[in-house]
Amino acid sequence: MRTLTGLQPSGKQHLGNYFGAMRPAVELQESGEAFYFIADYHAMTSTHDPGELRENVRDLAIDFLACGLDPEKAVFWRQSDVPEVNELAWILSTVCPMGLLERCHSYKDKVARGIAPSHALFAYPVLMAADILLFDSNEVPVGDDQKQHLEVTRDLVIKMNERYGEGTLVMPEPIIREAVAKVPGLDGQKMSKSYNNTLPIFGEEKPLRKMVMKIVTDSTPVEDPKPVEGSVILQLYKLLASDADYQAMVADHQAGGTGYGDFKKRLWEAYWEFFAPMRARRAEIAADPASVDQVLAAGAARARQEAAVVLDRVRATVGLR
Ligand code: ADP
Ligand code: TRP
């Protein structure tokens, strides 16, 4: 069983990314073959600043390693270190009907958010399909926003196998992480870089503390009971504190007599403590940038070996050899 997923290097990782994507990926590396890559070609659909792209890739690699990705267990590489993926993307695009891409809502959503409507942005799902199919992946864990891209991938497998014969490409199964509750942002909407409401997992103590203390709350007086339903503080605390501490905070909400400032302070402490071991690990890794390059280079070498097998098979099948 081979599990593959890609992460876009698009700025500071936040609690939503950690609980929604990074932690599940780290858990999955314990069972079966885990293939994880940093989708830097994809990031170029929205970033054209070379310095920023490089820095985002490096940050994501360090963050992921600090959060428990184990290069002994998972194959971890940078997408552009395996450029063969572009060849498969081209081959797939020759059987990809325009209508399939025209129906994709992520293209329209991104254009509506101000991202330039380039050919790459339009063809993004084809490259993503190539990422998956180049490794004969069986399972692809993604957030539910990527569901449609997996459907495109599966359609392309059907098209290729119909035209060139069963077994040309392996049909992947999406593992949609609907089970992971959406982590709320500081304003109560879904936590997302696009909403500017994130709590980063790494950063300087003072500004992070300030962010927690600025979480929007209602104006219930200190002595009154506070609403439990829909409380951002409680939802975040649940992820970060022990069950007993969480239950105690719920009880204190219901009893009244405790102000939001106190709850935020407890949330801050739980958050700072939760990420303490990862922060320490991050500092170690960041102090040794060569080790990160080594991990990515070894991962790329391993990934290229696997990719060569599939690409050879596809090239022979379609008549390129
Ligand atoms: P952002 O919305 O900040 O741009 P991305 O769309 O790049 O984040 O998400 C990267 C990964 O993190 C995806 O797998 C996504 O499902 C997960 N993720 C992002 N935000 C959240 C959230 N608030 N709750 C749960 N998972 C999230
Ligand atoms: N499109 C994904 C995202 O924005 C990232 C990604 C690129 C990916 N290629 C992939 C995810 C292949 C899974 C499999 O989150």
Side-chain angles (χ1 to χ4, degrees):
M1 183 64 66
R2 181 168 293 173
T3 307
L4 173 140
T5 199
L7 292 108
Q8 268 215 62
S10 51
K12 285 200 176 4
Q13 299 299 301
H14 52 72
L15 289 189
N17 300 141
Y18 177 77
F19 288 105
M22 292 167 98
R23 192 167 76 173
V26 167
E27 283 164 4
L28 269 172
Q29 75 191 359
E30 301 303 327
S31 55
E33 278 183 294
F35 275 57
Y36 301 144
F37 67 94
I38 301 177
D40 56 351
Y41 283 139
H42 279 104
M44 286 189 72
T45 56
S46 50
T47 308
H48 286 122
D49 179 327
E52 186 183 320
L53 181 61
R54 237 175 252 126
E55 198 177 315
N56 284 347
V57 168
R58 168 156 296 270
D59 276 350
L60 178 54
I62 299 176
D63 287 352
F64 212 163
L65 292 166
C67 289
L69 182 132
D70 180 351
E72 300 286 319
K73 291 181 182 152
V75 183
F76 183 42
W77 75 99
R78 172 174 34 209
Q79 185 184 29
S80 60
D81 283 340
V82 187
E84 289 87 341
V85 73
N86 290 299
E87 184 174 345
L88 184 59
W90 178 259
I91 295 171
L92 294 174
S93 73
T94 66
V95 301
C96 182
M98 287 297 284
L100 201 56
L101 299 180
E102 277 159 0
R103 280 197 294 277
C104 286
H105 41 66
S106 96
Y107 173 76
K108 290 171 227 160
D109 292 350
K110 286 175 178 171
V111 172
R113 276 198 274 130
I115 297 179
S118 64
H119 169 251
L121 193 67
F122 186 69
Y124 182 113
V126 181
L127 181 59
M128 180 159 162
D131 291 327
I132 295 167
L133 302 174
L134 186 60
F135 297 96
D136 283 346
S137 311
N138 305 109
E139 290 189 339
V140 185
V142 281
D144 56 358
D145 57 324
Q146 299 296 315
K147 217 173 180 165
Q148 199 179 31
H149 292 158
L150 262 297
E151 281 159 18
V152 171
T153 305
R154 289 170 59 86
D155 278 351
L156 293 176
V157 173
I158 294 173
K159 292 234 171 285
M160 286 289 290
N161 287 355
E162 266 172 12
R163 180 140 342 159
Y164 297 111
E166 268 324 300
T168 303
L169 292 170
V170 171
M171 183 64 85
E173 297 294 330
I175 309 289
I176 307 291
R177 287 184 295 239
E178 275 158 329
V180 183
K182 286 204 174 29
V183 178
L186 300 175
D187 58 358
Q189 294 187 80
K190 179 195 168 193
M191 188 178 288
S192 170
K193 273 156 258 173
S194 353
Y195 302 147
N196 237 331
N197 63 356
T198 66
L199 198 52
I201 58 182
F202 296 117
E204 294 292 321
E205 183 168 357
K206 256 203 178 146
L208 289 184
R209 188 171 205 280
K210 241 185 170 160
M211 289 170 105
V212 172
M213 298 312 285
K214 271 171 64 184
I215 291 177
V216 183
T217 48
D218 60 27
S219 50
T220 314
V222 174
E223 57 284 4
D224 288 4
K226 317 275 178 305
V228 166
E229 210 44 48
S231 156
V232 171
I233 298 177
L234 276 171
Q235 287 172 74
L236 294 178
Y237 196 62
K238 188 168 190 190
L239 294 167
L240 299 163
S242 70
D243 195 45
D245 286 347
Y246 170 71
Q247 293 306 340
M249 195 192 271
V250 171
D252 289 344
H253 270 68
Q254 288 161 338
T258 311
Y260 282 119
D262 186 82
F263 293 136
K264 288 181 191 174
K265 216 172 130 230
R266 281 193 237 170
L267 171 61
W268 157 255
E269 279 159 11
Y271 157 54
W272 193 247
E273 194 180 318
F274 185 93
F275 287 106
M278 296 168 233
R279 211 159 36 241
R281 180 92 187 95
R282 194 185 196 288
E284 275 173 32
I285 300 169
D288 183 10
S291 72
V292 180
D293 293 338
Q294 254 168 30
V295 164
L296 292 177
R302 198 36 231 294
R304 280 190 101 159
Q305 271 176 6
E306 302 289 332
V309 175
V310 178
L311 196 56
D312 269 2
R313 185 179 74 220
V314 173
R315 290 180 119 239
T317 315
V318 303
L320 285 173
R321 266 208 329 248

